[in-house]
Amino acid sequence: MTLCLAVKYPLSYLRNFPAPLEEAIIFLSDSRITYTDGTKDIVDKIIPICKNAAVVIAGNARFQLESILSIKQRLDESENYPVDKIIDIIEDCYQSKRSLYVNPPLIQTIVGIFDRSNNKSRLFKISIETGMRAKELITNGEMYFIGSEEFRQEFTKLEIEQAIKKQDGNYLAFYPLEWANLFYRVFNEEFNVKKQDKTIGGIIQSACLYKDGFMWANHMGLSFDNNGEMVVLEKTVRKNDGWSRILQNNKEEKTYPLVEVLKELK
């Protein structure tokens, strides 16, 4: 199980913002894979596929990772592509993978693309229900979740909305990366601290897709000791083609490149 989030920026809460805001897409996910005999927190679920597109994935890990690797082989991560070409390649790879199964495993994917022709961000969803074709999500900044049960998605959405209200209106000045940081805090609190759902958790990943390309969002958990000195409780950073979460006791957790995770699954 997993829980992933994709949302277009500006969010719906910023509809009445007095100045124009450049569009972007914010992604968030956990890193947990669930096996029949346990879980491991090792996989990237937010994956850039070219300079102006990225995906966030849920469902059967092997099906998803093999499909994404096929897509990445046909796109150059440093290049921008037209929306139609990106979608054609994604659909072709997913449908080719689907043809190998009599009963394909359940998967859900959200594709985020920055359309360079008009400087607009676009979201698409792919699943068994869509016939492995990309269905565009018409959105005005609403949050889209994939993965866990609907009640878990709704609960997490409410927790995010509560976190926004606690900003006392200051959220109006947020940039996309600051929104990503707010989402990160909610996910980390709910699934790593409170452990609301044991099938969700591990390193919380976040990223933003802008007009100029894809950017990972690093995070740092801070507190203060009895002397008022700032203490780093944990930090989550992107390095060596994976995530690294370093805790206060110097314990380190990692995610791994797709090829290495696939070896783990075989």
Side-chain angles (χ1 to χ4, degrees):
M1 196 64 71
T2 190
L3 188 62
C4 303
L5 165 66
V7 59
K8 285 174 60 173
Y9 177 90
L11 279 77
S12 58
Y13 310 99
L14 300 173
R15 284 190 187 127
N16 298 320
F17 195 72
L21 297 168
E22 287 192 1
E23 292 197 11
I25 299 171
I26 304 166
F27 301 96
L28 207 82
S29 178
D30 71 329
S31 59
R32 184 157 294 170
I33 293 180
T34 303
Y35 298 83
T36 55
D37 57 348
T39 62
K40 288 188 177 181
D41 303 329
I42 59 172
V43 67
D44 286 351
K45 299 180 185 177
I46 304 169
I47 305 164
I49 56 174
C50 63
K51 189 173 181 179
N52 63 317
V55 299
V56 62
I57 57 174
N60 183 274
R62 182 180 296 175
F63 186 104
Q64 283 283 30
L65 297 183
E66 289 178 348
S67 299
I68 298 303
L69 282 173
S70 297
I71 293 166
K72 288 171 70 68
Q73 288 169 358
R74 295 172 61 179
L75 294 169
D76 186 332
E77 201 168 315
S78 65
E79 295 290 332
N80 292 299
Y81 293 90
V83 173
D84 288 348
K85 181 170 183 177
I86 295 170
I87 292 300
D88 285 347
I89 289 173
I90 290 173
E91 289 183 339
D92 185 57
C93 290
Y94 268 104
Q95 289 168 14
S96 295
K97 186 67 178 172
R98 160 68 180 89
S99 68
L100 302 177
Y101 288 76
V102 176
N103 297 304
L106 297 177
I107 63 101
Q108 292 178 304
T109 300
I110 293 182
V111 183
I113 303 176
F114 200 96
D115 189 343
R116 301 277 296 181
S117 69
N118 57 12
N119 287 333
K120 297 291 185 181
S121 56
R122 299 170 68 179
L123 291 176
F124 300 82
K125 184 175 181 180
I126 295 173
S127 66
I128 297 298
E129 290 75 18
T130 68
M132 295 298 183
R133 295 193 176 278
K135 177 182 178 182
E136 185 158 13
L137 302 172
I138 306 302
T139 170
N140 290 311
E142 294 84 7
M143 290 178 275
Y144 283 95
F145 291 89
I146 56 173
S148 190
E149 294 90 345
E150 187 173 344
F151 83 89
R152 179 63 63 203
Q153 298 179 18
E154 289 299 317
F155 175 81
T156 307
K157 180 181 178 181
L158 289 173
E159 290 297 307
I160 290 172
E161 290 173 345
Q162 288 298 316
I164 292 170
K165 290 178 181 178
K166 290 178 182 178
Q167 300 298 317
D168 297 324
N170 292 329
Y171 64 83
L172 290 176
F174 275 10
Y175 294 103
L177 280 174
E178 291 173 314
W179 280 96
N181 192 49
L182 183 147
F183 297 150
Y184 172 91
R185 293 199 305 270
V186 172
F187 267 55
N188 197 51
E189 176 71 16
E190 294 303 314
F191 302 116
N192 285 331
V193 178
K194 296 181 181 177
K195 301 185 185 301
Q196 296 282 7
D197 188 328
K198 292 182 179 179
T199 68
I200 303 169
I203 298 175
I204 305 302
Q205 312 163 22
S206 58
C208 296
L209 182 65
Y210 298 95
K211 175 177 66 176
D212 295 328
F214 180 88
M215 180 181 292
W216 298 108
N218 298 326
H219 300 278
M220 186 174 293
L222 302 174
S223 186
F224 294 90
D225 63 18
N226 294 332
N227 298 319
E229 297 292 328
M230 187 175 292
V231 177
V232 178
L233 299 178
E234 63 176 70
K235 56 183 178 180
T236 302
V237 296
R238 186 75 184 178
K239 64 179 185 180
N240 300 327
D241 293 325
W243 285 101
S244 176
R245 180 172 179 242
I246 304 169
L247 306 179
Q248 192 176 6
N249 60 5
N250 289 324
K251 178 183 177 182
E252 185 175 11
E253 302 170 352
K254 295 180 181 180
T255 65
Y256 297 90
L258 303 187
V259 174
E260 291 187 29
V261 177
L262 277 170
K263 291 178 182 176
E264 175 78 19
L265 295 174
K266 291 179 179 178

